């Protein structure tokens, strides 16, 4: 099949970076609202959907996805005051519904159904904070997948909203004061209406909002006007005595800590950690004693105690372990510590001196979430999932250490039909990298299996085992699913993360390419049957690897990827990624970025893998211009019979809050595309 791609005009745009002239012929696609860009999007979608709609098995894939997706999904319940709260999705609802109840065996009452806020499910609940007495609920709404939020306040008892409206919130939660009369939140200045989804986000400020007042009356609590890139987060301690402020500068795991005594009227904001050298996450406090999780002198993490009366005395409570510290919570006199061992969860219970009380026995290798709540609680809840275990919720007795099953989903498949293994392979420089491989039992290692290699490799993010209906359908139809834990992630702590950043970023691509070669060598698959996939930073991963080794892959699915590594800091929150990627303004970092930037390393006349780029018109995290420009350059450079297409979703963003219906449609198209191009 010979493809006639839409004509994409070019402009004579050239930029100079450190005396290097770089052409940017598709610069005009950076304006998502221009008539020319809109026409280009429509033309590209016509070609893409024209191809997808003629795939015979597309409808069967959609029907199976829809059937398997249709099961009840529950979140971990949590308690505020005398009430419990949880989310539930009946199966195919576009958005999960929030319920409340007084006791766990009571009849639940619907508190907020986001599905009623829009006909197509594109308004999502993206933030939630309930006052400690369980009376008030502050909640943030996002439209069409945008990071921008509008916050409202609802009376939990009546289900009625108050008049409060908080605008221009982004990258912020809400922290209630102990008197339940208001909350702290962070926001940006009001943006330009016509370019709010593209402009840089600077000058985050922390405010206090009092219930029943207009936002214009909110009190500015803290700002750093000389440091426009500061990102401000806040927590009120459980006793209500202190406001703890975290200040970050980008995406690196480093922050400053300030605090404000809320028991003293007009108390100043005081620095506690004023050197940007490590990460500090507040666990809990008792009087003036604060417990923090930190990577200071401990790349795999540890727990320290700091007394505000003597802040220079920092006492180690839980030393760094061989495993990577993921999270810590405190109940009564027990720390619940979640570790990662080779990218799967371990849970340990320690006393306040850091001594082991017991380990929580888990069903198998998998991932654990939860263990949240208030320090006075005697029970908590946690979730467990694996590649073949749908998210199951357990109730945990903190006094006896007993776990009891609380919610177990019913999905129409037999887990024993599948096998999961973890292998370790050697990357290009000799580093041992773990990889999970999941498939149907009885798989023949004959090199002919359709295989999807999925990766991320950045921003200290760990890829751990989790259940996915999408992956299940892929494996049901004979596919292999492989997930390597690449450098740049957080699986082995900060050293593993740093080994995949800035001038070391090529390590991530080498790890991914070597994973592909290992799968081929072990006869799981062959280049013609192998697809690579990833989203956001993982989209960059796919773009870079298909540019570097086009002959190694049969197909590529780069989703909402960062593809222009020279201009990414110029849009929305992109400047914050320079802590991971480096900056094009720094000579050595520019050289590294330019050497792997997917947009700049496509070579005319090359036969690239069949490609389905996916993005969304309202993505204000990784703006769609990245994917637009990459797709245009790929279509111009590609010389081969395999299709290189772009699928552009409307009224959607980076992925968070995407309606179930849109998720199923997108996965349907991706799987149908892969089956078609990999079986040629």
């Amino acid at each position: 099949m010979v493809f006639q791609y839409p004509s994409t005009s070019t402009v004579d745009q050239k930029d100079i970076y450190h005396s290097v002239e770089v052409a940017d012929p598709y610069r005009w696609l950076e304006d998502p609202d221009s008539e020319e860009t809109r026409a280009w999007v429509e033309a590209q979608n016509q070609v893409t959907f024209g191809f997808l709609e003629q795939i015979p098995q597309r409808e069967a894939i959609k029907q199976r996805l829809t059937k398997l997706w249709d099961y009840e999904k529950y979140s971990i319940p949590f308690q505020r005051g005398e009430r419990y709260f949880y989310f539930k999705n009946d199966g195919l609802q576009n958005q999960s519904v929030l319920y409340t109840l007084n006791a766990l065996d009571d009849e639940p009452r619907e508190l907020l159904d986001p599905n009623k806020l829009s006909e197509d499910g594109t308004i999502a609940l993206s933030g939630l904070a309930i006052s400690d007495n369980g009376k008030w609920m502050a909640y943030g709404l996002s439209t069409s997948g945008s990071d921008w939020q509008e916050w409202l306040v609802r009376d939990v008892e009546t289900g009625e909203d108050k008049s409060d409206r908080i605008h221009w919130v982004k990258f912020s939660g809400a922290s209630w004061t102990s008197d339940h009369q208001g909350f702290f939140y962070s926001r940006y200045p009001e943006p330009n209406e016509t370019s709010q989804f593209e402009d840089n986000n600077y000058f985050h400020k922390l405010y206090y909002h009092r219930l029943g007042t207009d936002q214009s009356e909110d009190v500015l609590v803290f700002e750093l006007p000389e440091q426009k890139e500061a990102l401000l987060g806040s927590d009120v301690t459980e006793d209500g005595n202190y406001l703890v402020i975290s200040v970050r500068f980008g995406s690196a795991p480093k922050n400053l800590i300030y605090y404000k005594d809320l028991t003293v009227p007009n108390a100043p904001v005081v620095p506690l950690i004023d050197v940007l050298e490590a990460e500090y996450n507040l666990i809990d406090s008792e009087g003036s004693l604060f417990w923090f999780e930190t990577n200071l002198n401990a790349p795999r993490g540890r727990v320290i105690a700091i007394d505000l009366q003597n802040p220079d005395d920092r006492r180690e409570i839980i030393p760094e372990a061989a495993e990577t510290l993921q999270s810590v919570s405190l109940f009564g006199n027990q720390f619940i510590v979640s570790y990662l061992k080779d990218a799967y969860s371990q849970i340990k219970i320690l006393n306040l001196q850091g001594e082991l009380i017991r380990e929580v026995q888990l069903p198998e290798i998998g991932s654990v979430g939860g263990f949240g709540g208030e320090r006075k609680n005697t029970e908590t809840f946690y979730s467990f999932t694996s590649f073949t275990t749908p998210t199951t919720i357990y109730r945990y007795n903190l006094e006896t250490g007993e776990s009891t099953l609380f919610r177990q989903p019913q999905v129409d498949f037999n887990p024993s039909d599948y096998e999961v293994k973890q292998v370790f392979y050697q990357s290009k420089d000799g580093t041992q990298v773990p990889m999970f491989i999941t498939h149907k039992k009885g798989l023949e290692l004959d090199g002919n299996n359709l295989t999807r290699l999925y990766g991320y490799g950045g921003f200290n993010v760990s890829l751990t085992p989790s259940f996915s209906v999408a992956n299940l359908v892929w494996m049901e139809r004979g596919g292999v699913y492989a997930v390597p834990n690449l450098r740049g992630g957080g699986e082995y702590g900060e050293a593993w993360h740093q080994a995949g950043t800035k001038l070391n970023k090529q390590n991530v691509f080498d790890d991914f390419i070597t994973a592909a070669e290992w799968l081929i060598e072990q006869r799981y698959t062959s280049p013609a049957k192998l697809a690579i996939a990833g989203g956001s930073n993982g989209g960059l991963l796919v773009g870079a690897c298909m540019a570097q080794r086009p002959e190694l892959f049969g197909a590529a699915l780069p989703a909402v990827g960062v593809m222009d590594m020279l201009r990414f800091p110029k849009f929305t929150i992109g400047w914050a990624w320079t802590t991971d990627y480096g900056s094009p303004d720094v000579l050595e970092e520019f050289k590294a970025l330019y050497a792997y930037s997917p947009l700049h390393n496509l070579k005319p006349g090359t036969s690239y893998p069949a490609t389905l780029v996916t993005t969304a018109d309202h993505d204000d995290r990784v703006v769609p211009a990245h994917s637009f420009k990459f797709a245009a350059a790929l279509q111009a450079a590609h010389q081969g019979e395999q299709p290189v297409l772009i699928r552009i979703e409307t009224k959607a963003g980076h992925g968070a809050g995407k309606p179930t219906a849109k998720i199923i449609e997108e996965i349907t198209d991706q799987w149908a595309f892969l089956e078609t191009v990999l079986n040629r």
Side-chain angles (χ1 to χ4, degrees):
M1 183 176 182
V2 178
F3 281 85
Q4 294 295 323
Y5 300 108
S7 175
T8 305
S9 62
T10 60
V11 295
D12 185 23
Q13 174 66 46
K14 293 182 175 64
D15 301 305
I16 305 296
Y17 297 87
H18 309 284
S19 302
V20 178
E21 184 177 85
V22 179
D24 192 6
Y26 304 112
R27 176 73 60 85
W28 61 274
L29 284 169
E30 291 181 0
D31 182 358
D33 299 314
S34 72
E35 290 184 12
E36 293 82 3
T37 301
R38 289 179 185 272
W40 183 87
V41 166
E42 184 177 352
Q44 290 287 347
N45 271 343
Q46 281 183 350
V47 171
T48 298
F49 286 102
F51 175 78
L52 296 170
E53 287 164 2
Q54 54 82 40
I55 296 175
Q57 65 269 39
R58 185 179 184 228
E59 185 57 33
I61 293 172
K62 183 176 182 180
Q63 288 179 7
R64 185 59 175 155
L65 278 168
T66 302
K67 182 180 179 182
L68 281 176
W69 215 286
D70 194 8
Y71 69 94
E72 290 184 331
K73 306 167 188 69
Y74 289 88
S75 74
I76 299 170
F78 61 96
Q79 190 174 7
R80 292 292 182 271
E82 301 302 315
R83 291 182 179 274
Y84 287 90
F85 302 83
Y86 69 90
F87 289 92
K88 178 190 174 187
N89 191 304
D90 290 340
L92 294 173
Q93 289 174 289
N94 277 323
Q95 304 289 342
S96 295
V97 179
L98 177 63
Y99 294 89
T100 185
L101 61 173
N102 290 324
L104 289 173
D105 54 0
D106 283 353
E107 188 69 24
R109 173 169 59 86
E110 180 186 300
L111 183 55
L112 177 64
D113 183 358
N115 299 290
K116 297 176 180 177
L117 302 178
S118 63
E119 290 185 5
D120 56 4
T122 54
I123 296 180
L125 177 63
S126 55
L128 182 67
I130 296 171
S131 60
D132 288 343
N133 62 356
K135 179 175 174 57
W136 302 110
M137 178 178 79
Y139 65 100
L141 299 178
S142 296
T143 301
S144 299
S146 172
D147 281 332
W148 287 115
Q149 297 174 318
E150 178 186 20
W151 281 73
L152 300 86
V153 177
R154 179 163 292 190
D155 185 319
V156 173
E157 184 63 40
T158 67
E160 299 293 323
D161 283 342
K162 291 175 66 70
S163 60
D164 307 61
R165 295 290 185 275
I166 310 296
H167 300 282
W168 308 121
V169 178
K170 189 185 275 198
F171 313 128
S172 174
S175 301
W176 287 89
T177 51
S178 59
D179 62 5
H180 321 120
Q181 295 303 303
F183 54 84
F184 299 94
Y185 71 96
S186 300
R187 59 160 288 190
Y188 284 106
E190 183 173 349
N192 183 310
E193 185 176 351
T194 60
S195 55
Q196 60 179 285
F197 298 115
E198 298 88 52
D199 288 349
N200 279 133
N201 301 135
Y202 292 128
F203 300 110
H204 220 207
K205 298 180 182 182
L206 179 64
Y207 287 88
Y208 172 72
H209 174 75
R210 189 169 184 84
L211 287 186
T213 64
D214 189 82
Q215 186 177 10
S216 62
E217 300 176 38
D218 289 356
V219 177
L220 177 62
V221 176
F222 186 69
E223 65 174 329
L224 291 172
E226 303 303 316
Q227 295 170 293
K228 66 180 182 179
E229 296 176 341
L231 290 163
L232 310 180
S234 63
D235 282 298
V236 174
T237 55
E238 193 171 313
D239 58 16
N241 291 342
Y242 294 96
L243 172 69
V244 180
I245 303 169
S246 171
V247 182
R248 296 180 183 271
F249 300 88
S251 55
K254 296 180 180 181
N255 61 313
L256 308 176
I257 296 289
Y258 293 75
Y259 70 93
K260 178 181 173 69
D261 189 338
L262 298 178
T263 66
V264 178
N266 302 315
V269 173
V270 180
L272 179 61
I273 308 291
D274 57 1
V275 177
L276 191 67
E277 59 180 353
E279 182 171 45
Y280 298 85
N281 294 315
L282 177 68
I283 300 168
D284 208 333
S285 67
E286 187 174 85
S288 63
L289 185 67
F290 284 52
W291 289 281
F292 287 96
E293 172 195 337
T294 183
N295 58 10
L296 178 67
N297 301 321
R300 292 183 301 279
R302 62 184 178 129
V303 173
I304 63 172
I306 303 177
D307 195 321
L308 301 185
Q309 305 302 319
N310 186 17
D312 292 331
D313 181 18
R314 300 174 185 181
R315 185 160 47 94
E316 182 173 85
I317 305 298
I318 302 175
E320 181 182 34
E323 301 79 26
T324 303
L325 185 65
Q326 286 291 98
S327 64
V328 186
S329 52
L330 182 59
F331 292 92
N333 294 315
Q334 299 178 351
F335 288 109
I336 300 183
V337 187
S338 176
Y339 287 102
L340 272 190
K341 176 180 172 57
D342 293 331
Y344 58 86
S345 293
Q346 288 187 335
I347 307 297
K348 298 181 180 182
I349 311 297
L350 310 176
N351 63 22
L352 292 185
Q353 287 70 49
E355 298 164 338
L356 180 67
I357 299 174
R358 71 177 78 91
E359 288 195 33
V360 178
Q361 297 304 309
L362 302 175
E364 57 182 308
I365 287 178
S367 304
V368 171
F371 288 111
E374 298 177 345
R375 193 172 174 190
K376 64 185 179 184
N377 296 152
T378 58
E379 69 170 9
T380 183
F381 297 84
Y382 67 91
S383 64
F384 178 85
T385 184
S386 73
F387 289 111
T388 56
T389 303
T391 300
T392 303
I393 299 171
Y394 293 87
R395 195 171 184 172
Y396 185 74
N397 187 306
L398 291 154
E399 296 175 341
T400 66
E402 182 184 11
S403 292
T404 54
L405 185 65
F406 183 69
R407 302 278 191 200
Q408 185 172 31
Q410 302 300 314
V411 183
D412 182 23
F413 88 112
N414 183 1
S416 63
D417 290 342
Y418 300 86
E419 65 176 281
V420 182
K421 66 176 67 174
Q422 186 180 43
V423 301
F424 291 81
Y425 65 91
Q426 189 168 294
S427 189
K428 183 178 180 179
D429 63 358
T431 300
Q432 290 290 110
V433 180
M435 176 164 57
F436 292 105
I437 304 173
T438 312
H439 53 77
K440 268 186 175 179
K441 287 181 178 176
L443 184 83
E444 289 189 32
L445 299 181
D446 59 4
N448 288 318
N449 302 296
L450 303 193
T451 299
R452 190 165 58 92
L453 179 64
Y454 178 86
Y456 189 78
F459 296 94
N460 205 35
V461 172
S462 301
L463 294 189
T464 61
S466 65
F467 179 78
S468 158
V469 167
N471 292 333
L472 176 59
V473 170
W474 173 257
M475 294 186 295
E476 268 190 346
R477 299 175 67 85
V480 175
Y481 179 52
V483 182
N485 298 105
L486 312 172
R487 281 176 284 184
E491 290 87 349
Y492 293 104
E494 183 56 13
W496 190 256
H497 169 222
Q498 289 298 326
T501 64
K502 294 188 175 180
L503 302 185
N504 297 321
K505 188 66 176 177
Q506 184 60 40
N507 285 338
V508 183
F509 313 138
D510 290 341
D511 289 354
F512 202 52
I513 289 168
T514 313
E517 293 173 334
W518 188 93
L519 290 166
I520 293 166
E521 289 166 3
Q522 299 298 315
R523 309 266 309 152
Y524 279 93
T525 191
S526 59
K529 302 289 184 181
L530 175 60
I532 51 174
S536 194
N537 174 73
L540 159 64
L541 171 71
V542 172
C545 289
M546 63 180 281
Q548 292 182 17
R549 293 291 301 278
E551 82 293 347
L552 189 59
F553 316 110
L557 297 179
V560 293
V562 187
M563 301 302 202
D564 184 343
M565 301 310 296
L566 302 186
R567 288 181 60 77
F568 75 87
K570 298 184 179 297
F571 303 101
T572 63
I573 198 63
W575 59 264
W577 311 334
T578 57
T579 52
D580 229 66
Y581 295 145
S583 169
D585 295 333
V586 178
L587 176 58
E588 291 305 311
E589 293 174 357
F590 159 75
K591 290 178 180 177
L593 290 164
Y594 193 34
Y596 71 75
S597 176
L599 177 65
H600 301 97
N601 284 278
L602 296 171
K603 296 177 176 60
T606 302
S607 179
Y608 286 101
T611 304
L612 182 62
V613 180
T614 51
T615 188
D617 63 351
H618 275 72
D619 190 342
D620 53 359
R621 184 80 60 82
V622 180
V623 294
H626 284 280
S627 293
F628 291 176
K629 291 163 68 175
F630 179 74
L634 179 62
Q635 289 174 354
H638 179 53
Q639 185 172 350
E641 295 183 359
Q642 290 281 48
V644 289
L645 307 171
I646 181 168
R647 182 188 189 278
I648 303 154
E649 187 64 79
T650 57
K651 294 187 71 177
H654 198 57
K658 185 180 289 187
T660 299
K662 284 183 180 287
I663 294 172
I664 291 175
E665 288 170 0
E666 183 173 65
I667 294 167
T668 295
D669 288 344
Q670 290 174 323
W671 280 198
F673 179 83
L674 291 185
E675 286 194 12
T676 300
V677 300
L678 295 178
N679 279 316
R680 287 189 168 188

